[in-house]
Amino acid sequence: MDIYISKVSERLNLEKEVIKNAIDRKVISLCKYKNKRYIIFKKKVRHIERGTVLFLNKEMDVVMGYPKIRRALVLDPTVKKYFIDKVVVEEKLNGYNVRVVYIEDEVLAITRGGRICPFTTKKVLKLLNTDILKDHPEVMLCGEMIGLNNPYVSHYYPEVDMKIYEDENVVIKENLGLYIFDVKDREKNTPLSVEDRNRLLEEYNVPYVKPLGVFKKEDVEEIKNIVLKLNSEGREGIVLKDPNMMVDPIKYTTHYTHCQDLSVAFRYTFDLGIHFMFSRLIREGYQSYEFNEGKEELERRAVSIGKSIVYPMVESIREVSRGKLITEDFELYFESEEDTEEFFKYLREVHISYVVKEREVLKNGICRVVIGKVYPSTKDKIKSYLDGSLW
Amino acid sequence: MDIYISKVSERLNLEKEVIKNAIDRKVISLCKYKNKRYIIFKKKVRHIERGTVLFLNKEMDVVMGYPKIRRALVLDPTVKKYFIDKVVVEEKLNGYNVRVVYIEDEVLAITRGGRICPFTTKKVLKLLNTDILKDHPEVMLCGEMIGLNNPYVSHYYPEVDMKIYEDENVVIKENLGLYIFDVKDREKNTPLSVEDRNRLLEEYNVPYVKPLGVFKKEDVEEIKNIVLKLNSEGREGIVLKDPNMMVDPIKYTTHYTHCQDLSVAFRYTFDLGIHFMFSRLIREGYQSYEFNEGKEELERRAVSIGKSIVYPMVESIREVSRGKLITEDFELYFESEEDTEEFFKYLREVHISYVVKEREVLKNGICRVVIGKVYPSTKDKIKSYLDGSLW
């Protein structure tokens, strides 16, 4: 790897010492996807975002990481203070962040952390018109992969149901879609304006996130109404953008999503981390305050939070007490057995421990697989306390 | 301080290096109470418990720290595994831990952390027959100071109301009491058996914690019934002991207390720490599981947890938005203005920031004071997010 240090240093404008140090401390790691070798940044180092990828090819192609989007705890006055004049409101989807790029004549899908994911890469080829990248190889399409049938964030979206199999007894639908929210220069991380992004994506008929409106930054009440509507529809929240992307986007999420997150956090009690749950509870406090809730609304909120915490936690304890393994299950569809195996190999490489719960080949050759992601701390700690360990 | 190092080292059987290191790292600190100088251990160092006090007098008197009591998350099988044959169940009171000792002809009350508290010391002289310590100066009386009117843990206990003032218009009661739960050798930390403790305390008519029963360790159902009864009465929980104190005591708390704790944690949202709240939620999960709750009981538990989280958090945000200072208020009674000032000086010494909210002298000379303990992070962070800071 040493032979690359000066090249990487020059390419990313980072001192050699910084790179050496990052390698020693395992902040930079070396990965491989088919015949492509690349390094990824596992944390933000100076100006290089977490998830940045540098390919060890002749051009030393760079794909910058997708930066963290900061959050408003109250829309008013945050929106008024933060934005310049106008605000574009877009829907925030609840899936996983993907950057789609074109490197050495190949379309690749990179996860937030910087891995080329074989599952996502293959799906992207089917979900997108990739001519856009062939014509504009300098851009990355940043988007959200959503739906039930992916291996990371499984959440049903009715708009992405696709029939993939049918016989006299059964119709099978894959629930999966990709919506682009940013088009950026993949080396400089500079985004297109909202208008330019829309124009380009429409030209190639690439699906992008729903624009929910453009407002004067003073019109916070209208933005609040959008949040209420999304909440009632069980949607995640909004991302607020400057029309010209002059300031970074910020985000705001619904009560529905906070409760969903809490349920997940308390099902995998000892794995998901207490900061995850604490932050959701804090968001609820500010939201209730900002939406000026009366006695009844506040009580309804308290009840749904309490249930989101207690029900999944008690259910997990009960499952462990019955000897069940606590897993998060994902139902996935692959084109072939080979693709399935390739993806299992990838999971082992990224150290995700999983069990295969179901596996079948449909008559049309599609492989249906259910994997269970294992939460080891939850399993071990719950069991240990049930067996009489002291806290 | 250096001149004391070898003496302290010898007295506590700790290497000089360890003591020097502990001083450098501020684990040991030097304090003063009137003409008495003493050092305290702010953390457990080797075999020396947190809160251990060593007086810098001729005898170098030592008062060992009160060890942490571990917790059962489920009573069954923990009790059966942990105890030898019998279990003494005592009520766990919700106040603050005090060690009362007799050093150089003076009765002193030491807090869990190792400070001689002037407030507590003076109250103890009125609440206890201190002859017990004069006759047995080698022991420490370990107990819980409870009631509304103390500066640390304010919780009403009907059994400790005392009339301290009366005129034609008003009757003032001080709600404060001390119940001893352990009698120990103050240097060795060895406890008396439950029977010997009771005999000694009864001889001097010293109040001690209510024994709730002695059971075979297999009789967990009876212990569970005690927990249910205490919960319905709004009491904190139980401490389980071996009759001869051959194994360390363990504790278990009620749903009522978990919810109370959550309310406090979320009122002082950013000060009390997320580990505090997480642990209470976990306890609720195991309790619901162990008490085999049906749909309705589980729902009731979820609702009370949700309310304990949301109501105080939203109330704090509302208060800050109205410009109010978030404080925890304590109403205290002192014998004299001098005692009051001495206690204020003590609060500054231990770096507790507070405001005086009310102060009056009753006709009989007793000083009534309301102090508000300030929670600085809660105030600052809530305000900052309300002003539009991003998370």
Side-chain angles (χ1 to χ4, degrees):
Chain A
M1 195 136 162
D2 284 2
I3 54 160
Y4 288 105
I5 287 177
S6 33
K7 283 191 194 170
V8 172
S9 158
E10 212 172 290
R11 191 74 175 78
L12 296 177
N13 195 20
L14 270 181
E15 299 91 313
K16 277 186 221 164
E17 278 313 307
V18 172
I19 292 172
K20 273 184 202 156
N21 190 268
I23 295 171
D24 288 347
R25 294 162 74 188
K26 301 202 157 93
V27 169
I28 289 178
S29 61
L30 182 64
C31 307
K32 204 166 180 292
Y33 174 76
K34 294 198 278 191
N35 62 341
K36 292 185 166 51
R37 295 203 305 148
Y38 60 99
I39 62 170
I40 62 174
F41 283 73
K42 291 175 156 181
K43 288 188 185 295
K44 187 170 182 177
V45 174
R46 301 278 176 87
H47 58 288
I48 304 300
E49 293 289 345
R50 167 175 179 263
T52 293
V53 172
L54 189 152
F55 288 88
L56 301 177
N57 57 15
K58 204 164 145 246
E59 286 73 26
M60 301 204 85
D61 285 306
V62 171
V63 180
M64 277 298 211
Y66 193 84
K68 188 176 154 60
I69 296 188
R70 299 190 70 192
R71 168 184 301 275
L73 281 181
V74 287
L75 290 164
D76 191 357
T78 316
V79 172
K80 296 173 187 167
K81 283 201 173 171
Y82 189 79
F83 288 100
I84 301 169
D85 39 28
K86 289 193 168 177
V87 194
V88 179
V89 181
E90 290 177 357
E91 185 176 356
K92 182 180 192 320
L93 295 167
N94 186 10
Y96 62 103
N97 182 294
V98 171
R99 284 163 286 155
V100 188
V101 292
Y102 194 63
I103 305 284
E104 296 177 301
D105 304 326
E106 202 172 347
V107 172
L108 302 172
I110 300 173
T111 61
R112 190 77 177 256
R115 285 279 188 161
I116 300 168
C117 169
F119 172 88
T120 313
T121 295
K122 275 172 191 135
K123 297 297 179 186
V124 163
L125 291 173
K126 290 172 51 184
L127 294 166
L128 283 189
N129 170 8
T130 54
D131 288 345
I132 185 172
L133 287 168
K134 288 168 193 156
D135 297 345
H136 305 278
E138 77 288 359
V139 308
M140 54 181 168
L141 305 175
C142 306
E144 196 83 353
M145 187 72 105
I146 59 166
L148 272 185
N149 303 123
N150 72 70
Y152 306 115
V153 178
S154 177
H155 186 266
Y156 180 71
Y157 277 94
E159 63 267 42
V160 294
D161 260 339
M162 294 175 297
K163 189 155 71 181
I164 54 167
Y165 178 80
E166 183 169 16
D167 63 23
E168 53 284 0
N169 304 312
V170 71
V171 174
I172 293 186
K173 288 176 182 171
E174 183 180 31
N175 187 251
L176 189 71
L178 175 62
Y179 290 89
I180 302 304
F181 45 72
D182 280 325
V183 177
K184 292 181 154 192
D185 181 294
R186 70 166 158 76
E187 291 207 357
K188 300 196 196 79
N189 230 340
T190 47
L192 292 188
S193 71
V194 173
E195 215 177 292
D196 291 346
R197 177 201 69 181
N198 294 354
R199 197 180 301 121
L200 182 67
L201 295 173
E202 273 163 22
E203 185 187 333
Y204 289 91
N205 205 23
V206 171
Y208 59 95
V209 291
K210 241 183 264 161
L212 301 172
V214 184
F215 302 96
K216 280 185 289 177
K217 68 172 183 173
E218 289 77 17
D219 293 343
V220 184
E221 286 307 312
E222 306 217 36
I223 300 174
K224 284 195 206 171
N225 287 333
I226 292 175
V227 172
L228 289 176
K229 185 160 175 293
L230 289 172
N231 183 56
S232 69
E233 293 164 350
R235 313 279 296 195
E236 193 187 17
I238 54 175
V239 174
L240 303 167
K241 290 176 169 175
D242 177 72
N244 296 312
M245 299 294 274
M246 299 278 281
V247 297
D248 293 335
I250 60 178
K251 61 188 172 188
Y252 187 85
T253 44
T254 59
H255 167 66
Y256 169 82
T257 283
H258 303 155
C259 286
Q260 287 272 112
D261 286 354
L262 285 171
S263 296
V264 173
F266 279 92
R267 174 161 165 80
Y268 311 111
T269 325
F270 295 101
D271 282 281
L272 262 178
I274 63 180
H275 291 272
F276 182 90
M277 38 156 293
F278 183 68
S279 58
R280 270 68 186 171
L281 293 172
I282 297 299
R283 293 172 198 170
E284 284 290 285
Y286 283 91
Q287 190 163 82
S288 172
Y289 163 79
E290 175 159 34
F291 285 80
N292 211 356
E293 290 183 333
K295 203 169 164 303
E296 273 173 39
E297 291 160 300
L298 189 59
E299 182 170 349
R300 230 176 294 130
R301 188 180 290 269
V303 170
S304 54
I305 290 175
K307 289 181 179 175
S308 302
I309 292 172
V310 178
Y311 289 3
M313 175 167 50
V314 174
E315 183 55 27
S316 274
I317 298 173
R318 286 183 183 155
E319 283 181 15
V320 172
S321 80
R322 285 187 223 112
K324 250 195 86 176
L325 185 66
I326 300 285
T327 60
E328 185 178 10
D329 295 345
F330 301 93
E331 183 178 47
L332 308 172
Y333 295 98
F334 295 92
E335 288 283 306
S336 65
E337 296 260 30
E338 203 188 331
D339 282 3
T340 312
E341 287 303 328
E342 183 192 15
F343 182 66
F344 287 170
K345 184 165 158 270
Y346 169 77
L347 286 180
R348 290 189 294 271
E349 277 169 21
V350 297
H351 305 294
I352 293 177
S353 71
Y354 68 96
V355 291
V356 178
K357 297 198 148 180
E358 294 178 39
R359 186 169 182 168
E360 61 173 325
V361 182
L362 307 180
K363 280 182 196 136
N364 63 355
I366 287 182
C367 294
R368 181 184 156 275
V369 173
V370 178
I371 60 166
K373 190 176 160 191
V374 178
Y375 286 88
S377 300
T378 300
K379 182 193 86 184
D380 294 346
K381 285 205 181 170
I382 291 181
K383 185 156 182 354
S384 143
Y385 293 127
L386 284 178
D387 287 347
S389 289
L390 299 177
W391 178 272
Chain B
M1 195 134 163
D2 281 4
I3 54 161
Y4 289 106
I5 289 178
S6 30
K7 281 191 193 172
V8 172
S9 157
E10 211 173 290
R11 191 74 174 81
L12 296 177
N13 195 20
L14 271 180
E15 299 90 314
K16 278 186 220 165
E17 278 315 306
V18 172
I19 291 171
K20 274 184 204 157
N21 190 267
I23 294 170
D24 289 347
R25 294 164 73 189
K26 300 202 159 90
V27 168
I28 289 179
S29 61
L30 183 64
C31 306
K32 204 166 180 293
Y33 175 76
K34 295 199 277 189
N35 63 341
K36 292 185 165 53
R37 296 203 304 147
Y38 60 99
I39 62 169
I40 63 176
F41 282 73
K42 291 173 154 183
K43 289 188 183 296
K44 188 170 181 176
V45 175
R46 303 279 176 84
H47 59 287
I48 304 301
E49 295 287 345
R50 168 177 177 263
T52 294
V53 172
L54 188 152
F55 287 89
L56 300 177
N57 58 14
K58 203 161 147 250
E59 285 74 26
M60 301 203 83
D61 285 306
V62 171
V63 181
M64 277 299 212
Y66 193 85
K68 190 176 152 57
I69 295 188
R70 299 191 71 192
R71 169 184 301 276
L73 282 180
V74 287
L75 288 164
D76 192 358
T78 316
V79 171
K80 295 172 187 165
K81 283 200 174 172
Y82 189 78
F83 288 100
I84 301 168
D85 41 28
K86 289 194 171 178
V87 194
V88 179
V89 180
E90 290 177 354
E91 184 176 358
K92 181 179 191 322
L93 296 167
N94 186 11
Y96 62 102
N97 182 295
V98 172
R99 285 164 284 154
V100 187
V101 292
Y102 194 63
I103 305 284
E104 296 178 299
D105 303 327
E106 203 172 347
V107 172
L108 301 171
I110 300 172
T111 62
R112 191 75 178 255
R115 286 276 188 163
I116 298 168
C117 169
F119 172 90
T120 314
T121 295
K122 276 174 190 132
K123 296 297 181 188
V124 163
L125 292 175
K126 290 171 52 182
L127 294 166
L128 283 189
N129 170 10
T130 54
D131 288 345
I132 185 173
L133 288 168
K134 287 169 194 158
D135 295 347
H136 303 279
E138 77 289 358
V139 308
M140 53 180 169
L141 305 175
C142 306
E144 197 83 352
M145 186 73 104
I146 60 166
L148 273 185
N149 303 124
N150 73 69
Y152 305 115
V153 178
S154 178
H155 186 267
Y156 181 70
Y157 276 94
E159 63 267 41
V160 294
D161 262 337
M162 295 174 296
K163 189 155 71 181
I164 55 166
Y165 178 79
E166 184 169 18
D167 63 24
E168 54 283 2
N169 304 313
V170 69
V171 175
I172 294 184
K173 287 176 182 172
E174 183 180 29
N175 187 249
L176 190 71
L178 174 64
Y179 290 89
I180 301 304
F181 45 71
D182 279 326
V183 177
K184 292 181 155 192
D185 181 295
R186 70 166 158 75
E187 293 206 358
K188 301 198 196 80
N189 230 340
T190 45
L192 293 188
S193 72
V194 173
E195 213 177 296
D196 291 344
R197 177 201 70 180
N198 294 355
R199 198 179 302 121
L200 182 66
L201 294 173
E202 273 164 22
E203 185 187 333
Y204 290 91
N205 205 22
V206 170
Y208 61 95
V209 292
K210 240 183 265 162
L212 302 170
V214 184
F215 303 96
K216 279 185 288 177
K217 67 173 184 172
E218 289 76 18
D219 292 343
V220 184
E221 285 307 313
E222 305 217 37
I223 300 175
K224 284 196 205 169
N225 287 333
I226 291 175
V227 171
L228 288 177
K229 185 160 175 291
L230 289 172
N231 183 56
S232 69
E233 293 164 352
R235 314 278 297 195
E236 192 187 18
I238 55 175
V239 174
L240 303 168
K241 290 177 169 173
D242 177 71
N244 296 312
M245 300 293 275
M246 299 278 281
V247 296
D248 293 333
I250 60 177
K251 62 188 173 189
Y252 187 84
T253 44
T254 59
H255 168 63
Y256 169 83
T257 282
H258 303 154
C259 287
Q260 288 272 110
D261 286 354
L262 285 171
S263 295
V264 174
F266 279 92
R267 174 161 165 78
Y268 312 112
T269 325
F270 295 101
D271 282 282
L272 261 177
I274 63 182
H275 291 273
F276 182 89
M277 37 157 293
F278 183 67
S279 58
R280 269 69 187 171
L281 293 171
I282 297 299
R283 292 173 198 169
E284 284 289 286
Y286 283 90
Q287 191 163 81
S288 172
Y289 163 79
E290 175 158 35
F291 285 80
N292 212 355
E293 289 183 332
K295 203 169 166 299
E296 274 173 41
E297 292 160 299
L298 189 58
E299 184 171 348
R300 229 176 295 132
R301 187 181 290 269
V303 170
S304 53
I305 289 175
K307 290 181 178 177
S308 303
I309 292 173
V310 178
Y311 289 3
M313 176 166 50
V314 173
E315 182 55 26
S316 275
I317 297 173
R318 285 182 184 157
E319 284 182 15
V320 172
S321 79
R322 286 187 222 113
K324 250 193 87 175
L325 184 67
I326 301 283
T327 59
E328 185 179 8
D329 295 344
F330 301 93
E331 182 179 48
L332 308 173
Y333 296 98
F334 295 92
E335 288 283 306
S336 65
E337 295 261 30
E338 204 191 327
D339 281 4
T340 312
E341 287 304 327
E342 182 192 14
F343 183 66
F344 287 169
K345 184 164 158 270
Y346 169 78
L347 286 180
R348 290 190 295 270
E349 276 169 20
V350 297
H351 305 293
I352 294 177
S353 70
Y354 68 96
V355 289
V356 178
K357 297 198 149 179
E358 293 177 40
R359 184 169 182 169
E360 62 173 325
V361 182
L362 307 180
K363 280 183 196 135
N364 63 355
I366 286 181
C367 294
R368 183 184 155 275
V369 174
V370 178
I371 61 167
K373 191 177 161 190
V374 178
Y375 285 88
S377 302
T378 300
K379 182 192 85 183
D380 295 346
K381 287 206 180 167
I382 290 181
K383 186 157 181 353
S384 143
Y385 293 126
L386 284 178
D387 288 347
S389 289
L390 300 176
W391 178 273

